Amino acid sequence: MENLMEHLKEHNLTFATIPYVLMLNKRDLPNAMSVPELTKQLQKKVSRFWRAWAIQGVGVFETLKEVAKLVLAELKKGG
């Protein structure tokens, strides 16, 4: 998250103004952190999140579709 904030600052962007979704990957692993704990640690602003198993393609397209919708909405606003 800190790295993301640094990169945004370099491009004169702020986290508050960019589209943001969470894809909780590797949910199939036996030692995966619980969804409530992950969202508590990673959800820095209100956003939707998806559980994903990328190797099987589960949740990946849904996440991509949501971020595309958010980006298009931002572009329509002129942001």
Side-chain angles (χ1 to χ4, degrees):
M1 237 357 147
E2 290 174 19
N3 186 262
L4 173 62
M5 301 301 177
E6 289 173 22
H7 286 291
L8 289 172
K9 189 175 181 179
E10 289 173 12
H11 295 282
N12 297 318
L13 297 169
T14 65
F15 184 71
T17 62
I18 63 166
Y20 175 70
V21 299
L22 287 173
M23 183 174 83
L24 306 178
N25 195 20
K26 300 188 183 260
R27 303 307 315 145
D28 57 327
L29 296 179
N31 62 345
M33 187 182 291
S34 73
V35 170
E37 185 61 28
L38 273 172
T39 55
K40 179 181 172 187
Q41 290 189 28
L42 296 173
Q43 196 165 24
K44 302 300 182 190
K45 65 182 180 180
V46 176
S47 66
R48 295 190 60 192
F49 66 88
W50 286 262
R51 295 178 183 131
W53 294 267
I55 200 161
Q56 298 164 341
V58 176
V60 176
F61 183 71
E62 293 81 1
T63 306
L64 178 59
K65 200 163 112 178
E66 181 64 17
V67 79
K69 281 185 353 188
L70 293 171
V71 168
L72 288 173
E74 188 65 27
L75 289 172
K76 284 181 183 178
K77 288 191 312 190

